[in-house]
Amino acid sequence: MKKVFAALAVVVGFAAIVFFFGQRQIGERLFESRVSAQAGTDRTAGLPDGLHAYVCGSGSPFPDARRAGPCIAVLAGKRGFIFDVGSGSMRKLGAMAFPFNRLDAAFLTHLHSDHLDGMGEMMLQAWMAGGRSTPLPVYGPPGTDAVVDGFIAAYTPDREYRIAHHGPEVARPGGFGAQSNIIAFEDAEAEARIVYQADGVTIRAIPVDHSPVDNALAFRIEYKDRAMVISGDTVRSAALAAFADGTDAIFHDALNSEMVGTIGRTLAERGNTDGAKIMADIPDYHTSPEDAARVAQDADTKLLVLYHLVPAPPTVLLNEAFLGDAEALFQGRLELAEDGMRVSLPASTDRIEIEQLL
């Protein structure tokens, strides 16, 4: 036995010496191996034809090192789309190996800053990583043109630097920026309508209630025999449930009013009256996890993914508390979104596949 321990000690010691003196070489080999496996490769090539939703941001305006601002990217067949572009979401989307060269358009559910403050980086990635030669179409409610123009103005110096550095063959001058496309409804109870259609992909929009924010939108994405809805920010709505009827998945915002109330009371006790007022205001234009579950049940959808979580649970130990009674109110599959989650709906099947990429 002593000989065995002695031999083991020699092996461990030798391994430690090799690691200590060879860690640079080991690190370089690991780096080269990772680059060889990932750089310049299409990591979506093995995905089945269908709808694939990337959770590039599941957070809220609250500071959160783990979650970017609200963002759902979708691959529908060969075409890519981004729905909302919260702060940090493009870094997450890049890490998930989303193919920016297939990005066809972006959509804004509404013009709250936390849903669009990553737009500058999205324009940059669409242009440079996506190799665009025309501006990225951005669809959104009235006011989207002013937002787009503002980001273009802010990023124009960067445009000039990149063209000067990389040359117009790589930084194609015509591909910089975005082109706004306004989605306007005459009233808040208007019928859904098609706002995009190409290559078998149909995207519909409907107005939702996020008052006092006007012109807030939800989107329904259809490809072949699969469909999903992205709610944006809204209160519970029978119209949204009807809009989502028969879908495979709903991505719905969710706010736990009890948790937000606890934050508000604590802020008030500590003299932060402004913060307490904000916490008192926000529950009335978001949906609780329970009401989101009721919408999904009414829509007869198969999967409900709660995203744009307010406040996002910092640990899985709080997931049940955040959900409240939602699981009892929805008979389908219920998931709390995490940044890096990908939901796949392969065409010509009823499968739902969820993978954590980050």
Side-chain angles (χ1 to χ4, degrees), residues 42-54 74-78 96-99 102 223 342-347 351 353-355 357:
D42 181 1
R43 288 156 61 189
T44 68
L47 290 177
D49 187 30
L51 281 176
H52 305 275
Y54 292 68
V74 175
L75 286 181
K78 297 297 184 183
M96 296 170 77
F98 182 84
R102 290 163 59 185
Y223 176 70
R342 183 172 66 200
V343 176
S344 293
L345 307 172
R351 297 201 314 272
E353 300 168 357
I354 298 180
E355 183 178 3
L357 302 180

Side-chain angles (χ1 to χ4, degrees), residues 43 89-98 100 125 358:
R43 288 156 61 189
S89 59
M90 292 302 96
R91 305 291 175 94
K92 296 292 181 76
L93 198 55
M96 296 170 77
F98 182 84
F100 282 97
Q125 293 302 321
L358 301 180

Side-chain angles (χ1 to χ4, degrees), residues 264-284:
R265 288 190 296 274
T266 303
L267 290 173
E269 290 168 0
R270 295 176 179 174
N272 187 341
T273 55
D274 289 353
K277 176 66 164 59
I278 291 171
M279 294 304 105
D281 289 342
I282 59 177
D284 68 3

Side-chain angles (χ1 to χ4, degrees), residues 117-193:
D117 48 10
M119 183 176 291
E121 190 167 4
M122 179 183 69
M123 293 191 313
L124 176 64
Q125 293 302 321
W127 177 36
M128 296 298 293
R132 294 189 66 86
S133 56
T134 59
L136 177 70
V138 176
Y139 296 78
T144 296
D145 49 351
V147 170
V148 167
D149 290 347
F151 274 98
I152 288 174
Y155 273 71
T156 292
D158 181 75
R159 172 189 186 272
E160 305 306 320
Y161 299 144
R162 293 185 188 278
I163 294 172
H165 190 193
H166 303 298
E169 298 81 10
V170 173
R172 300 165 180 82
F176 168 78
Q179 176 64 50
S180 56
N181 297 269
I182 303 301
I183 302 171
F185 287 91
E186 293 182 0
D187 60 72
E189 297 182 358
E191 295 292 323
R193 72 164 183 263

Side-chain angles (χ1 to χ4, degrees), residues 27-41:
E28 288 174 346
R29 291 289 181 85
L30 289 173
F31 174 74
E32 291 168 0
S33 175
R34 188 174 183 87
V35 170
S36 177
Q38 296 185 2
T41 63

Side-chain angles (χ1 to χ4, degrees), residues 191-326:
E191 295 292 323
R193 72 164 183 263
I194 294 173
V195 295
Y196 175 99
Q197 198 164 39
D199 282 356
V201 182
T202 299
I203 299 176
R204 305 173 194 273
I206 192 173
V208 294
D209 183 2
H210 193 41
S211 179
V213 177
D214 53 8
N215 300 305
L217 305 170
F219 294 99
R220 176 174 175 139
I221 307 97
E222 301 168 350
Y223 176 70
K224 294 191 172 177
D225 55 348
R226 308 307 299 262
M228 64 177 65
V229 159
I230 297 170
S231 72
D233 288 2
T234 182
V235 296
R236 180 188 176 188
S237 164
L240 180 62
F243 182 58
D245 184 55
T247 53
D248 299 284
I250 298 175
F251 292 82
H252 207 300
D253 75 310
L255 178 146
N256 184 297
S257 58
E258 292 184 5
M259 290 181 169
V260 168
T262 298
I263 296 171
R265 288 190 296 274
T266 303
L267 290 173
E269 290 168 0
R270 295 176 179 174
N272 187 341
T273 55
D274 289 353
K277 176 66 164 59
I278 291 171
M279 294 304 105
D281 289 342
I282 59 177
D284 68 3
Y285 66 175
H286 285 284
T287 305
S288 69
E290 291 91 346
D291 275 349
R294 292 183 177 99
V295 169
Q297 184 66 24
D298 291 344
D300 194 29
T301 194
K302 301 178 181 70
L303 170 69
L304 171 62
V305 179
L306 299 180
Y307 85 115
H308 192 21
L309 308 175
V310 187
T315 169
V316 296
L317 298 177
L318 285 176
N319 285 0
E320 292 297 322
F322 181 88
L323 286 170
D325 296 325

